[in-house]
């Protein structure tokens, strides 16, 4: 896609972001949110409307005087591919400029530690070839995955690494679409901040309750990822003297007792020991089955989730003492069990936290659930409108 065709997006990226995150807005609202003058905003909205990226959506209500025009992005002007990976699969979906999923979500199963960059590229190409959306209309790929991700160097030190080369650079040269890489838990935090229950909360800790237990941090309304993008490794707080080896190579991490991997292992052990549970009716147990049976009320499944939740609460007690957040959001796959997490977490907080600190922290359950990472991946591309997107597109065109 030639750069000159996208120049209005690059040069007016703050207005694009404003409309993407707010769906509709008046020129005054855009001015307030971007910090630009109203005359400047009216000019920008006019340019974007003429270019076909923005449309007028009627008039806003008014208490008196002339009603202001309401603007929104043209949904099908461009698209974003979101690729959300976990330890055992990748989900892919195409999102329009109104943050709506315009394709079915496809899942590709594989162990992430065996996935090569070339295999990932093949999956992406396969997905795009199946969809009736022209590749040149896709302005970016939001690639979100677990692991130690350095967003400055565009590398994942844990998975799918390429010796001496940027993972992002390699993929985008092969698919001819700009690629943006981020940790899965950070992407979920972006989704919760922009579209979920963390909106308008200044300091929030967002837990990704998945195969591990990730953490995305929003401090003073800004995403915090640390010096190299590696902050938030909540799973690897050393809480236990259990001798269990963690995936990070250390012993006794929170992940060894509270992750969905640990929950699944405990479920299999319980079935092996002959415990009465509906889980025994399945030929093979995984986290999705445990979550589904817990929701139905299977006592053993509820017990497994409750024990994991208590341990999560122990870790959260440390975070509350350190960060004093306004809210803690439970998101990701594990949040599907909803309120089953809250009572044991609260019990652990009551036991391990100074009461005065706990009264300032509210617990919230995500309403985005399993879609959070995909939504965050699309938002990642929107966050990188402007110079970064233009540079990546130029680098692709220079090669192709």
């Amino acid at each position: 896609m030639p750069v000159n065709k996208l120049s209005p997006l690059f040069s007016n990226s703050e207005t694009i972001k404003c409309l993407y995150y707010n769906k509709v807005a008046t020129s005054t609202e855009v001015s307030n949110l971007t910090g630009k003058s109203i005359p400047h905003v009216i000019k920008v909205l006019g340019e974007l409307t003429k270019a076909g990226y923005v449309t007028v959506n009627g008039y806003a209500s008014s208490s008196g005087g002339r009603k202001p025009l309401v603007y929104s992005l043209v949904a099908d002007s461009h698209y974003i591919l979101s690729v959300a990976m976990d330890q055992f699969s990748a989900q892919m979906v195409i999102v329009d400029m109104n943050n709506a999923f315009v394709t079915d979500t496809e899942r590709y199963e594989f162990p992430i530690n065996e996935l090569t960059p070339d295999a990932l590229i093949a999956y992406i190409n396969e997905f795009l070839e199946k969809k009736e959306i022209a590749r040149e209309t896709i302005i970016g790929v939001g690639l979100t995955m677990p692991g130690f991700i350095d967003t400055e160097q565009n590398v994942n030190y844990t998975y799918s690494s390429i010796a001496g080369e940027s993972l992002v650079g390699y993929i985008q040269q092969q698919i001819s679409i700009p690629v943006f890489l981020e940790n899965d838990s950070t992407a979920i935090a972006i989704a919760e901040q922009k579209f979920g229950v963390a909106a308008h909360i200044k300091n929030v800790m967002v837990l990704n309750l998945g195969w591990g237990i990730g953490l995305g941090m929003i401090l003073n309304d800004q995403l915090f990822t640390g010096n190299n993008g590696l902050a938030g490794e909540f799973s690897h707080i050393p809480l236990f003297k259990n001798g269990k080896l963690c995936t990070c190579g250390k012993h006794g991490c929170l992940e060894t007792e509270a992750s969905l991997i640990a929950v699944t292992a405990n479920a299999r052990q319980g079935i092996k020991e002959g415990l009465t549970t509906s889980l025994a009716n399945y030929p093979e147990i995984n986290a999705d089955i445990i979550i589904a049976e817990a929701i139905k009320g299977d006592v053993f499944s509820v017990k497994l989730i409750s024990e994991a939740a208590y341990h999560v609460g122990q870790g959260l007690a440390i975070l509350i003492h350190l960060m004093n957040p306004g809210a803690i959001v439970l998101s990701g796959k594990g949040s599907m069990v909803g309120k089953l997490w809250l009572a044991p977490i609260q019990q652990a907080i009551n036991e391990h936290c100074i009461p005065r600190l706990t009264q300032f922290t509210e617990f919230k359950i995500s309403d985005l659930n399993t879609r959070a990472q995909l939504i965050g991946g699309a938002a990642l591309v929107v966050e990188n409108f402007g110079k970064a997107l233009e540079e990546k597109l130029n680098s692709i065109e220079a090669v192709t």
Side-chain angles (χ1 to χ4, degrees):
M1 192 187 321
V3 172
N4 57 3
K5 290 186 178 181
L6 291 177
S7 58
L9 290 179
F10 302 147
S11 57
N12 302 306
S13 59
E14 291 305 314
T15 300
I16 296 291
K17 289 180 191 178
C18 178
L19 293 176
Y20 185 85
Y21 293 136
N22 293 279
K23 303 293 187 183
V24 295
T26 66
S27 58
T28 300
E29 290 169 336
V30 174
S31 173
N32 291 335
L33 290 167
T34 62
K36 304 294 184 180
S37 70
I38 291 179
H40 174 81
V41 167
I42 291 174
K43 178 184 176 183
V44 167
L45 289 170
E47 291 175 353
L48 290 171
T49 300
K50 184 177 180 180
Y53 301 131
V54 167
T55 186
V56 177
N57 258 357
Y59 293 92
S61 58
S62 174
S63 58
R66 186 176 180 180
K67 293 182 178 180
L69 293 172
V70 175
Y71 298 87
S72 66
L73 294 176
V74 175
D76 59 358
S77 63
H78 294 95
Y79 299 95
I80 299 167
L81 171 60
S82 183
V83 180
M85 297 173 61
D86 63 25
Q87 280 83 346
F88 300 104
S89 66
Q91 294 185 86
M92 298 187 195
V93 73
I94 292 177
V95 181
D96 69 16
M97 295 307 292
N98 281 334
N99 188 44
F101 289 13
V102 296
T103 65
D104 293 333
T105 301
E106 299 274 353
R107 179 184 292 273
Y108 299 86
E109 305 285 345
F110 51 78
I112 191 172
N113 58 356
E114 298 177 7
L115 183 71
T116 65
D118 287 330
L120 177 57
I121 290 166
Y123 285 129
I124 291 173
N125 283 328
E126 177 186 335
F127 176 82
L128 292 176
E129 287 167 6
K130 290 167 62 176
K131 307 305 173 185
E132 297 180 356
I133 293 177
R135 186 180 292 235
E136 59 267 21
T137 64
I138 299 175
I139 55 175
V141 177
L143 174 59
T144 59
M145 58 195 305
F148 296 117
I149 292 176
D150 187 328
T151 53
E152 293 294 322
Q153 300 298 320
N154 286 318
V155 297
N156 187 335
Y157 295 115
T158 311
Y159 303 112
S160 302
S161 60
I162 307 172
E165 188 171 352
S166 159
L167 175 63
V168 164
Y170 184 77
I171 294 174
Q172 68 185 16
Q173 295 294 354
Q174 300 300 314
I175 67 174
S176 298
I177 302 173
V179 177
F180 300 92
L181 176 68
E182 188 55 88
N183 176 267
D184 55 346
S185 300
T186 300
I188 287 173
I190 295 173
E192 296 293 350
Q193 181 192 34
K194 301 300 184 182
F195 299 105
V197 296
H200 312 300
I201 303 176
K202 190 174 183 180
N203 296 290
V204 191
M205 304 287 106
V206 180
L207 284 190
N208 174 17
L209 299 170
W211 297 112
I213 307 166
L215 175 67
M217 294 180 282
I218 299 164
L219 304 178
N220 293 322
D221 288 326
Q222 300 295 317
L223 197 67
F224 178 78
T225 58
N227 190 58
N228 298 91
L230 304 179
E233 290 299 324
F234 184 64
S235 268
H236 304 295
I237 296 175
L239 279 184
F240 307 105
K241 299 292 184 181
N242 57 13
K244 294 182 180 179
L245 181 65
C246 181
T247 55
C248 71
K250 305 298 182 181
H251 292 83
C253 295
L254 175 62
E255 183 175 305
T256 64
E257 296 288 353
S259 67
L260 291 181
I261 290 177
V263 168
T264 303
N266 291 339
R268 289 170 178 162
Q269 183 60 34
I271 294 170
K272 185 177 179 181
E273 293 172 358
L275 295 179
T276 301
T277 171
S278 59
L279 296 177
N281 298 326
Y282 293 88
E284 184 60 36
I285 298 299
N286 59 39
D288 293 324
I289 290 171
I290 297 168
I291 289 170
E293 292 303 313
I295 293 172
K296 293 177 185 177
D298 176 62
V299 174
F300 181 51
S301 299
V302 171
K303 180 175 180 288
L304 290 167
I305 297 294
S306 296
E307 289 175 346
Y310 179 84
H311 295 315
V312 169
Q314 289 178 279
L316 289 177
I318 297 172
L319 280 184
I320 291 172
H321 283 110
L322 289 174
M323 308 303 297
N324 182 216
I328 292 174
V329 175
L330 308 182
S331 190
K333 178 194 288 283
S335 68
M336 292 292 290
V337 294
K339 293 182 179 179
L340 289 179
W341 284 95
L342 293 182
I345 285 177
Q346 192 62 60
Q347 179 185 349
I349 296 297
N350 292 341
E351 291 179 11
H352 299 287
C353 262
I354 297 170
R356 181 166 296 280
L357 284 174
T358 62
Q359 66 181 317
F360 298 112
T361 300
E362 181 182 6
F363 281 88
K364 292 177 174 289
I365 298 171
S366 172
D367 55 7
L368 302 179
N369 297 318
T370 57
R371 299 170 74 245
Q373 189 177 339
L374 287 166
I375 292 171
L380 175 66
V381 176
V382 174
E383 284 293 298
N384 283 280
F385 273 137
K387 183 178 179 181
L389 184 56
E390 185 172 6
E391 286 177 352
K392 290 194 174 188
L393 201 55
N394 281 329
S395 69
I396 293 171
E397 291 188 335
V399 174
T400 57

